[in-house]
Amino acid sequence: MSSSVGGVTPEASTVYLISEAHAYLKAAALRAVAQLGVADHLGDEPRPVEELAEATGTNAAFLHRALRLLSTNGIFRQEDDGRFSLTPLGQGLRTDSRYSARWGVVMSTMHTHWSSAFELGHSLRTGQPSFPALFGERYFDHVAGNAEAGAEFHGGMGSFSGAARRLALDEYDFPATGTVVDVGGGTGGFLRDILLENPGLRGVLFDQAHVLPGERPRDVAAERWSEISGDFFVEVPADGDLYVLSYITHDWSDDECVRILRNCRKAMAPGARIAVFDAVVEPGNEPDDAKLLDLVMMMLVTGKERTADEFGRIFDQAGLRLSRIVPADGPLSVVEAVAV
Ligand SMILES: C[S@@+](CC[C@H](N)C(=O)[O-])C[C@H]1O[C@@H](n2cnc3c(N)ncnc32)[C@H](O)[C@@H]1O
């Protein structure tokens, strides 16, 4: 009979820890079914695994085992007769779901991310991301110079951030008129959403030349949309009334953020605001997506997820003042700053 600590025996502790270590297999199974498009073959009715295997070109017995696991965390559900269905929480895996998670799941678990996570000990020892040590270049240089990685990253990014940004968008009051500059706006999905809901705004999509889509969304009028390529460490487009930075500051160290924010500060029209859409790390021990995403930043890039105080400090150094934090019903908040 073992002694217990806080009511937990040594055996129970070990069993728990080994189970936690196996948690990566849930991500692996999720990646596999997302890649294979299994959810696209599940509609309103549960289906036998043999039909799903036939439709996805997979081995029925093995698919059964993966779906059985994913039915333990509420993504799929195995009925009493053995057929599988997609739960309401699993619906986002379908390619046709609004803000589909499918390519975001694939991007979040892509080979380079997975390998960097495997080497997280390197980051803890050196205080540096593991990605450059493994792949010989910085993460964004790799994404820029490698067509396949670029397609997987930029294709996945819209899916990765779309739903979270949507939830934050609902909470934030955009200016009624003027110009919104989406700094590092990627392929423009967020700017499109902002313009569709704020008909008095014009939009400037700013990113590196190879990332810009080169055509405006069909549902946005030509006079409301422009694209400018450049490097936000050099300058950002001038005279904006609102500078949106969505999932940007978390990619960069404090010093790098200060350079980007100073460039926004220089470019801002009088009375303009900066709206950072990023996670805010909260104190305490509750489950917090920000703390997961923070390790993604640790292993890939020089950035991190920040607390409110940490945001305040980088704004101060850039000649800005944190004016308010607008929390959303999701992993993102809007951290707003104005010129001092
Ligand atoms: C994490 S993604 C965020 C994309 C988008 N804002 C979103 O929320 O999905 C970071 C973006 O920053 C862009 N970026 C990276 N370095 C940049 C630079 N030096 N100048 C301009 N954009 C840059 C990348 O091309 C990419 O689109």
Side-chain angles (χ1 to χ4, degrees), residues 140 153-154 157-158 161 165 182-186 206-208 210-211 230-233 246-248 250-252:
F140 281 117
F153 176 76
H154 292 294
M157 199 58 217
S161 52
R165 281 184 324 210
D182 193 354
V183 178
F206 178 68
D207 209 298
Q208 304 171 99
H210 67 274
V211 177
D231 177 354
F232 50 45
F233 289 110
S246 159
Y247 285 113
I248 298 299
H250 78 166
D251 288 337
W252 304 100

Side-chain angles (χ1 to χ4, degrees), residues 154 179-189 191 203-214 225-238 242-246 248 259-260 263-264 267:
H154 292 294
T179 300
V180 52
V181 181
D182 193 354
V183 178
T187 49
L191 185 60
V204 177
L205 181 65
F206 178 68
D207 209 298
Q208 304 171 99
H210 67 274
V211 177
L212 292 172
W225 182 270
S226 57
E227 292 180 14
I228 298 181
S229 65
D231 177 354
F232 50 45
F233 289 110
V234 178
E235 63 177 349
V236 305
L242 181 71
Y243 286 79
V244 165
L245 289 88
S246 159
I248 298 299
R259 283 167 60 200
I260 299 169
N263 286 335
C264 295

Side-chain angles (χ1 to χ4, degrees), residues 25-61:
L25 292 163
K26 292 184 182 170
L30 185 58
R31 172 180 175 80
V33 300
Q35 268 185 319
L36 292 161
V38 175
D40 288 351
H41 300 281
L42 280 170
D44 295 335
E45 286 296 310
R47 293 185 73 183
V49 74
E50 292 74 17
E51 286 182 21
L52 293 171
E54 171 88 36
T56 54
T58 52
N59 177 290

Side-chain angles (χ1 to χ4, degrees), residues 3-339:
S3 60
S4 72
V5 177
V8 177
T9 64
E11 298 86 330
S13 165
T14 297
V15 167
Y16 170 74
L17 294 169
I18 300 293
S19 172
E20 280 286 288
H22 279 150
Y24 76 98
L25 292 163
K26 292 184 182 170
L30 185 58
R31 172 180 175 80
V33 300
Q35 268 185 319
L36 292 161
V38 175
D40 288 351
H41 300 281
L42 280 170
D44 295 335
E45 286 296 310
R47 293 185 73 183
V49 74
E50 292 74 17
E51 286 182 21
L52 293 171
E54 171 88 36
T56 54
T58 52
N59 177 290
F62 279 36
L63 182 62
H64 171 263
R65 289 156 69 184
L67 294 181
R68 184 173 64 180
L69 172 70
L70 291 172
S71 298
T72 64
N73 57 357
I75 296 173
F76 294 87
R77 182 182 145 78
Q78 189 169 21
E79 308 297 335
D80 291 343
D81 62 7
R83 292 180 303 164
F84 284 98
S85 55
L86 201 55
T87 68
L89 267 183
Q91 295 297 324
L93 268 185
R94 290 182 57 90
T95 315
D96 62 3
S97 131
R98 194 157 183 234
Y99 303 109
S100 170
R102 182 179 177 193
W103 300 118
V105 166
V106 171
M107 185 272 274
S108 298
T109 53
M110 66 203 255
H111 162 67
T112 47
H113 292 214
W114 206 288
S115 309
S116 301
F118 184 76
E119 297 296 345
L120 203 61
H122 171 91
S123 297
L124 297 187
R125 278 193 306 276
T126 63
Q128 299 294 326
S130 48
F131 180 92
L134 277 173
F135 295 98
E137 56 187 341
R138 294 186 312 168
Y139 184 74
F140 281 117
D141 294 338
H142 176 78
V143 167
N146 178 313
E148 202 181 320
E152 202 165 357
F153 176 76
H154 292 294
M157 199 58 217
S159 157
F160 172 87
S161 52
R165 281 184 324 210
R166 170 71 263 170
L167 293 167
L169 191 58
D170 287 343
E171 302 303 321
Y172 189 68
D173 54 320
F174 283 82
T177 58
T179 300
V180 52
V181 181
D182 193 354
V183 178
T187 49
F190 191 34
L191 185 60
R192 170 182 171 269
D193 284 351
I194 294 171
L195 295 184
L196 289 181
E197 285 175 30
N198 297 278
L201 286 175
R202 288 183 307 280
V204 177
L205 181 65
F206 178 68
D207 209 298
Q208 304 171 99
H210 67 274
V211 177
L212 292 172
E215 58 181 353
R216 74 185 152 82
R218 268 189 235 128
D219 41 13
V220 176
E223 63 276 13
R224 298 182 63 211
W225 182 270
S226 57
E227 292 180 14
I228 298 181
S229 65
D231 177 354
F232 50 45
F233 289 110
V234 178
E235 63 177 349
V236 305
D239 297 326
D241 299 288
L242 181 71
Y243 286 79
V244 165
L245 289 88
S246 159
Y247 285 113
I248 298 299
T249 52
H250 78 166
D251 288 337
W252 304 100
S253 68
D254 286 358
D255 288 348
E256 289 164 325
C257 283
V258 170
R259 283 167 60 200
I260 299 169
L261 292 169
R262 276 200 187 125
N263 286 335
C264 295
R265 169 75 183 81
K266 271 188 233 157
M268 286 161 84
R273 296 185 258 164
I274 291 182
V276 169
F277 288 73
D278 242 326
V280 176
V281 177
E282 300 293 344
N285 298 313
E286 297 309 308
D288 185 351
D289 273 343
K291 291 173 186 170
L292 275 176
L293 200 52
D294 184 50
L295 291 208
V296 178
M297 300 307 126
M298 181 194 284
M299 70 194 196
L300 296 183
V301 289
T302 52
K304 60 178 184 179
E305 304 302 329
R306 291 182 170 81
T307 62
D309 284 349
E310 288 171 329
F311 272 113
R313 282 199 287 276
I314 56 172
F315 286 141
D316 284 348
Q317 288 177 56
L320 298 158
R321 177 174 59 81
L322 195 162
S323 41
R324 58 185 176 137
I325 294 182
V326 183
D329 184 23
L332 280 184
S333 295
V334 189
V335 189
E336 190 189 72
V338 293

